[in-house]
Amino acid sequence: MAPLTNGYTNGDSRHLPTDPKIIDVRYSDIPSQIDIPVTGLENEEAVEVNLEELLDDPTELCTLLEQENAGRHLWVTIALAYSKQGKVDLAIEILNKGLASLSRGSPKEKLGPLALMCWLFLRKSREAPRTVPEGQLVAEAKTKDFYLQASTGTLNEASRINPSYPPLFVARGVLYLLRASLYPPSRAPAPGAPDHSERIETLRQSIKCFDDALRVSSGRNMMAVLGRARAFFSLGKYADALEGYQDVLMKMPHLQDPDPRIGIGCCFWQLGHKDEAREAWERSLDINPDSKIANILLGLCYLQNSAQHLITDPAFGPIYKKAMTQYTQKAFKLDKELPLTCATFGSYFLMRRSWATVESLARKAIELTDVNAIASDGWYLLARREHYQDVPDLSKANDLYSKADLARGGGDRGYLPARFGMVQIQVLLQDYDGAKFRLEKIVQQSKSTEAMMILGALYAEEIFRSQKSGIKEDKSGEIKKAIALLEAVRMAWKDPQKKLTPDSSVLVYLARLYEADQPEKALQCLHQVEQITMNDMPDKEPPEGSEDNEAWKARLREQLSPQLLNNIGCFQYHAEKFDQARDFFQTALKTCVKAGEKNEEIDSDALVTTISYNLARTYEAANQLDEAKQVYEGLLARHDDYTDARTRLAYIELRQNPTEDGPNAMASLYETDSTNLEVRALFGWFLSKSKRRAANIAEDQEQRHYKHTLQHYDKHDRYSLTGMGNLYLTTAREMRRDSDSDKEKRRKTYEKAVEFFDKALQLDPRNAYAAQGIAIALVEDRKDLTTAVQLFSKIRDSIREPSVYVNLGHVFTELKQYSRSIESYESALKHNRASDPQILACLGRVWLLKGKQEKSPTAMKTSLSYSHRALSVAPQQIHFKFNIAFVQIQLAQLLYTLPEHQRTLEDVVKASEGLDEAIESFTEIAQSKNPPYPRGDIEQRANMGRNTMRRQLERAVQSQKEYEEKNAARLQEARDQREAETKRREDERRKAEEVRDEERRKIKEEREKMTALSRELAEKRAEEERKREEAEFTTDSEGERVKRKKAKKGGKRKKKGEESESETEGGDQDEGGKKKRRNKKARSTEPSSAVGSSEEEGKKPRRRKRLARKADNFKSSEIVVDSDSSGEDAAPNGPAAGEDSDAEMRDLDDEENTVVSKPRGRANRRIDDEDEDEEMEEDEVGPTTTAEQMAEDNGDVKNGNAFADNPHGNPVDESVGAAGDRDAMDEGGLL
């Protein structure tokens, strides 16, 4: 089909839609939110569900939908929303619950969810692996077939509700498409025979489903058109597929997902229109520049174009650069994990010898793909990487090559480049036998012309050496291999893109190989050699103004080799193209004469004699006997002892004068050259045509002649041996078989014939006529059918005559191998014997025997059909009419004996009608002049049919009618029971599911309550900790966060253990906390540990802080320094220190850190931090993580009281606050 160029057919970018609203995007019709109506309230309310931020657990949502008896559209919309986000399993779960909820209503309500579930299973199938992953159990693996079976079950369930539901047609079509992709490619059928493989039939079923979808939608369902096009593409009908894709694009030019332009490009590619394919993919990029599939396809397209040029070709570089940088690189940037792009890029870096990048990309291609072919490319890249090393690990490289091969199936389905790499490794390892074996496998599937040419030449030379040495060895297998290899090379020359130069040696090899079995192909090869040689001539083109090209070609032909011209003439002769053969022989003679004139030293007499004899034979075959006699006489004039010429002259005389001059010439020839085996063979043929048949074989003149030849001239004369075998075989067939002595004599005659045939075969294993004689003798004498089948099978491969197939059919019939017998008879029909009544009668007979053996009415009907055909070809043959009546009787008997469930009422009625026709035929045959059987037997058979069988068939008709009526009722009853049982089980399952849903709902509510309580406790703790930190920490003059210290009152020193109330409230906690930071072993993990240890810590000498001045540029020169002195040591500096302390530790939260002095108060002042710098707090204090809060909350809740262990009511452990204090870490060590 020619590509359309108008409108949008091929995705013309000049008319692309610009409005994004009309662009079809997958899931574009899914709203961002949906309202679920809530019943049972006074005011109509609804629950709003955000479909863009869905929960990972849809149980609560499903429960709401079930409680509110939501309609199917809500279930379907929510499931689609989950599918849109890639949560296909959750979408399937929602649909299952929706179907359970909708089962209470009409069954038709379930159609929509079932159809959607089918599509989701199909989507999962595309994402699933084809085979069971390594290390996973088969029962647990979810492969493509698993999801396809689930989809099939869903479709069947929907079809039981409404088989004509329109969405099911497209779904079933896609299901068939995906299932067909799992089947291996079928073998090519015989020419003219339809392909009924499982894969092809599945694709045809998918087309039928898509046609049904188009029919119910009046041709408007574009997805059905796309599916139909995809099925045609899989069937290899690329023109039909292209038409479908173009139809979709014309009607929906804004469609992007799926993009029909991708399919259009693939169809063009398969049809050989590579430029149109590239344009279609480029138009796909115009609409969606981020299409990674279109980018990588275009990259592969340009890579394929670059492969048509040699690396040294200037055109190679720009094309390859465009493929890799513009398209493949962009596809890689769009998705760096796309396995196909990784494998493609890996080959580029392999040439750049960037080994690390090659390994990285190859590993991605292997690990991320679900396509075995891409994984194979990854292993192959790794193998080539290892192979390219300066000191490669050959064992490792071979192992990687093997993995690449096995990833594509191994064996005949493996990866040929990887297998060729293994061959290279084996050659390096000097494993030549293994390399040859693998090379043979590579050549069988690869199109590497170099490999095929080398292997073909090797096989051909081996065959020629065997023929020359005379070794009797079957080389038919090697001949076939050599021909296949060299023919593949020859065909590769015809591809202009490969730019290969034809090699004449390949054609000469082929001509020699074809010479014996396929001379017409050998002639074609020699003609091609002739054309190649003429093309190499300097004056190959005819001069200007010359109109007779044939004359110019004949003039050029005179410059060719006479041997080549003679060989072409011989093949023309065997092809019965005598005029052309004559021309070539005459041209060869002229060439020989010219060669002798140019160089007198050349002895061309032998070549001229041979060519002249061939020319005379050509005249003879063309019935130009006078011209032939003239040439023969000319040869005899030059060489009077040329026996072959005299023999042909005698034969011509026999043809022209068979009664007088012919026999005289034959007698004269036999008299002068009786020792010549060719002459004796001709004389034996003359005797077979002119002798009288003798009763005793010993008195037969032909037999005596052959015997004399074998005894006195050449006991290995093959013609005489075969002639003797034929004589004994004919004699044995006509001998009597009445008594035992007659049978014994007949058997010995057969044995004698077999001896002669066997001797001829020993001398010439290709003598098919001798082999067929042995096979016939084995069947007729010994009934050795098995050996005869083997012989006939070999003969069939040699001469391919109809008689061989007929003999095979007879033997298979005797062996009761009726299928093979039918095949043989049908093969005989194809060899220009399509209207042979005997073969048609044999087919009718074998189909009848097959029907009786298998009790098959269908086989009986086929037998009846062949019998009718035989009668139509030869209506005068009355025995063919008898065959028809006999088959009709047998068919009636078979149908009567068959049980009711194996026959139909229609068959019985037709058999009854056929019985009436058979009765009439028998009556007519019995009244004819020469009936094939005794009249009484025929009339008795007619009476039996008229009386007994007719009554039996009448009863059979009545019983069959009653059976079919009862069976229909039973089937309906069983169907109703099954539906009731299914409904009951569904109700039980639904109730059990409701109970489980209720339990899950209660558990979920309890968990939510516990989560809310934990969250509340964590927030409360965090707030209290923040307040405590604000109270306990301040910023010193250097901008560092320090813990606030409280100064002691001046004057009287307190005794040990006596502290003021204020000190007990704040000081103990400070000192306790500082003690914890100083001594890690003394620190307690419980909040109460700091408080409980305060009394004990009070007994130890406490470090005091005193105020000292620091001379620097700060506004306040007072800093807090540590002191180990007691209260008395600090007393002399009390008032000044207190005043300075007030001035120093004033508010520090303003931007200038100004210190404001307060009026002198009591001697014992405390340093208060009224404000804190929030930014410093965030930098210095480590935040408590949510996980830590949850862990603490859970621990508190488990104890029953969140604050039971803290006597001060503070839920935050002081160690948390100290964890971010830099000074505390310096003083007390690491926490």
Side-chain angles (χ1 to χ4, degrees), residues 220-238:
R220 293 174 296 181
N221 192 332
M222 292 298 100
M223 293 298 107
V225 179
L226 284 174
R228 190 169 180 268
R230 181 65 181 84
F232 278 130
F233 188 89
S234 299
L235 285 171
K237 300 179 179 180
Y238 305 116

Side-chain angles (χ1 to χ4, degrees), residues 1000-1228:
R1000 286 194 290 267
R1001 186 186 62 79
K1002 292 179 179 179
I1003 294 173
K1004 182 179 179 181
E1005 290 179 354
E1006 293 177 359
R1007 289 178 177 174
E1008 289 177 351
K1009 291 178 181 179
M1010 295 174 64
T1011 303
L1013 179 59
S1014 299
R1015 189 182 300 111
E1016 181 180 355
L1017 292 175
E1019 292 175 355
K1020 189 173 181 181
R1021 280 194 174 192
E1023 180 64 22
E1024 291 179 354
E1025 182 181 3
R1026 185 184 61 80
K1027 291 180 180 180
R1028 182 185 64 79
E1029 289 179 351
E1030 291 178 355
E1032 292 183 357
F1033 288 88
T1034 185
T1035 305
D1036 61 5
S1037 59
E1038 296 180 355
E1040 296 183 355
R1041 296 279 295 174
V1042 297
K1043 195 168 183 179
R1044 190 186 302 277
K1045 296 295 182 178
K1046 296 184 179 180
K1048 295 293 183 177
K1049 294 181 180 180
K1052 183 179 179 181
R1053 180 179 179 182
K1054 294 185 178 293
K1055 297 180 181 180
K1056 287 186 179 180
E1058 294 182 0
E1059 293 178 333
S1060 64
E1061 183 179 354
S1062 62
E1063 289 175 344
T1064 304
E1065 293 176 358
D1068 288 351
Q1069 190 171 358
D1070 265 354
E1071 292 297 316
K1074 187 172 295 185
K1075 181 64 177 178
K1076 288 168 60 178
R1077 290 192 295 271
R1078 261 194 312 268
N1079 191 351
K1080 184 175 181 181
K1081 294 182 179 181
R1083 181 169 56 90
S1084 173
T1085 59
E1086 296 295 331
S1088 60
S1089 62
V1091 180
S1093 61
S1094 61
E1095 183 177 351
E1096 181 180 353
E1097 290 175 356
K1099 300 177 182 181
K1100 299 179 181 180
R1102 289 188 294 241
R1103 298 179 65 185
R1104 301 293 185 181
K1105 288 190 177 182
R1106 60 185 176 84
L1107 296 178
R1109 291 191 178 272
K1110 181 179 180 182
D1112 53 15
N1113 295 328
F1114 289 91
K1115 292 183 180 181
S1116 174
S1117 60
E1118 296 178 346
I1119 60 173
V1120 180
V1121 296
D1122 291 337
S1123 175
D1124 294 333
S1125 60
S1126 61
E1128 292 89 354
D1129 298 334
N1133 299 328
E1139 185 175 356
D1140 293 340
S1141 175
D1142 288 339
E1144 174 65 24
M1145 303 305 294
R1146 190 65 172 154
D1147 295 335
L1148 301 176
D1149 57 345
D1150 55 341
E1151 296 180 358
E1152 299 180 355
N1153 293 326
T1154 305
V1155 180
V1156 181
S1157 300
K1158 288 185 178 182
R1160 179 179 297 272
R1162 297 190 314 177
N1164 185 14
R1165 296 181 181 273
R1166 289 186 301 172
I1167 301 174
D1168 295 329
D1169 186 9
E1170 297 180 0
D1171 295 307
E1172 296 185 60
D1173 191 338
E1174 295 180 2
E1175 295 179 358
M1176 295 298 295
E1177 178 183 2
E1178 292 175 357
D1179 294 337
E1180 300 293 337
V1181 180
T1184 304
T1185 62
T1186 306
E1188 293 172 349
Q1189 295 176 3
M1190 292 295 295
E1192 293 172 0
D1193 292 342
N1194 292 338
D1196 294 338
V1197 172
K1198 290 180 180 179
N1199 294 330
N1201 187 351
F1203 308 101
D1205 297 333
N1206 193 341
H1208 298 285
N1210 187 0
V1212 181
D1213 193 347
E1214 291 179 353
S1215 62
V1216 177
D1221 191 345
R1222 186 176 303 171
D1223 292 336
M1225 294 176 67
D1226 293 339
E1227 295 177 5

Side-chain angles (χ1 to χ4, degrees), residues 682-710:
L682 179 61
F683 190 73
W685 172 83
F686 170 71
L687 291 177
S688 67
K689 299 297 182 182
S690 59
K691 72 176 182 178
R692 292 183 180 180
R693 193 172 299 277
N696 188 359
I697 190 173
E699 300 175 357
D700 190 89
Q701 294 181 359
E702 183 183 5
Q703 187 267 349
R704 289 180 178 179
H705 174 72
Y706 290 144
K707 184 177 180 180
H708 189 264
T709 300
L710 294 172

Side-chain angles (χ1 to χ4, degrees), residues 83-226:
S83 177
K84 179 180 180 180
Q85 298 183 4
K87 302 175 181 179
V88 182
D89 293 329
L90 295 179
I92 294 174
E93 179 183 351
I94 291 172
L95 288 176
N96 282 324
K97 294 181 180 180
L99 289 172
S101 176
L102 294 173
S103 61
R104 295 188 293 267
S106 174
K108 293 184 177 180
E109 293 291 324
K110 300 167 62 177
L111 286 174
L114 285 173
L116 176 57
M117 183 179 292
C118 173
W119 283 108
L120 294 178
F121 280 132
L122 293 176
R123 176 179 175 181
K124 292 289 292 183
S125 173
R126 298 199 65 182
E127 300 172 355
R130 181 185 295 267
T131 58
V132 178
E134 185 178 356
Q136 190 173 0
L137 297 178
V138 178
E140 298 177 357
K142 294 185 178 181
T143 59
K144 291 182 180 295
D145 187 64
F146 172 82
Y147 288 108
L148 289 181
Q149 290 181 3
S151 179
T152 302
T154 307
L155 269 178
N156 292 337
E157 183 178 355
S159 299
R160 285 192 291 269
I161 298 174
N162 185 3
S164 61
Y165 186 54
L168 298 183
F169 295 128
V170 178
R172 193 173 294 277
V174 175
L175 173 63
Y176 281 126
L177 273 178
L178 295 178
R179 188 170 293 281
S181 66
L182 300 180
Y183 296 135
S186 60
R187 293 183 177 179
D195 191 350
H196 295 293
S197 63
E198 192 170 7
R199 176 178 177 272
I200 298 300
E201 290 298 327
T202 305
L203 290 173
R204 290 171 181 165
Q205 287 292 332
S206 69
I207 293 176
K208 182 179 179 182
C209 294
F210 291 131
D211 288 339
D212 292 338
L214 289 173
R215 175 178 50 81
V216 299
S217 65
S218 301
R220 293 174 296 181
N221 192 332
M222 292 298 100
M223 293 298 107
V225 179
L226 284 174

Side-chain angles (χ1 to χ4, degrees), residues 267-280:
C267 292
F268 277 137
W269 188 273
Q270 294 295 336
L271 291 171
H273 305 298
K274 305 297 177 66
D275 294 335
E276 287 80 357
R278 173 179 50 79
E279 291 174 2

